[in-house]
Amino acid sequence: MESQTINAFGKTNVGLMRTINQDSVFVSVKPIGKLPNLFIVADGMGGHKAGDVASRMAIEKFVKYVCTTHMSDPANILDSGIISVNKDIYDMANSNKDYSGMGTTFVGVTIADNHVYVANVGDSRAYLVGNRDIKQITRDHSLVEDMVRMGMIDKGEARTHYKKNVITKALGVAEDRTSTPDIFEIEIDKGDKLLLCSDGLTNMVEDYEIKKIIHNNDTIEQAVRQLISQANENGGKDNISAILIEPEIREV
């Protein structure tokens, strides 16, 4: 039998080129409703402060949903919660002209025992960082990712493609189920870490650099702070958010 504690640290930064931070993060190592823990990165979009409102609203509404739902299965909670949040944001965007067209990405994680449940809409990412490698768990809902999958461009070209910021899914932009999240379930081993981040990090810092920074820092807080610093050193063209999660799995 295994028991588990979790360490986590999250931070968001406006970057060097933006005046408003439209990213929002949520970190709880303690239970939220029937979920044993919860971690979220949301990257908002929209004019003026609409993206800021969308990302913050997504987290607030999702946490409220988790606290009130009668469901107990983590994957079902993530899936139905995101669908509910999508409608809330869509309704607000269509009832207030200041928020017209707003939307947000959403990547959420909860860990139960050694199982990780991940939900994703948009191009914010979840990574599994092992002792030897780094692996992207989520699949970007973006135009360039679709082009990579179809063999039209390779991963290297995708990083610099002029349409790399065009996403194909976001919460709040459509009322129907086109914003249904991808749900992933993976197992983790001792020593594994999980990283959630917005594209303000991954567009500025390549995966191998991310892995190196995480491995070379003694604490997850130091690692997150250095990831954000590195993204800013490399240009800081967007808001930058990162949550690093360190489950401690041990035999008892």
Side-chain angles (χ1 to χ4, degrees), residues 82-134:
I82 287 173
I83 291 170
S84 174
V85 167
N86 177 68
K87 187 177 187 312
D88 289 338
I89 297 174
Y90 179 84
D91 288 345
M92 177 174 276
N94 282 274
S95 64
N96 186 327
K97 61 180 176 58
D98 290 337
Y99 300 146
S100 178
M102 75 175 179
T104 183
T105 70
F106 188 104
V107 58
V109 162
T110 189
I111 304 168
D113 298 321
N114 64 332
H115 288 266
V116 178
Y117 300 87
V118 183
N120 181 60
V121 176
D123 62 356
S124 295
R125 294 178 178 178
Y127 286 92
L128 178 67
V129 185
N131 291 320
R132 294 185 177 180
D133 56 9
I134 181 171

Side-chain angles (χ1 to χ4, degrees), residues 163-192:
K163 289 188 176 181
K164 69 179 181 179
N165 292 323
V166 178
I167 62 174
T168 55
K169 266 191 180 185
L171 296 186
V173 298
E175 189 174 17
D176 60 18
R177 294 178 67 89
T178 56
S179 294
T180 301
D182 290 341
I183 303 291
F184 306 89
E185 181 182 349
I186 65 169
E187 290 191 16
I188 49 174
D189 296 320
K190 190 172 183 178
D192 287 345

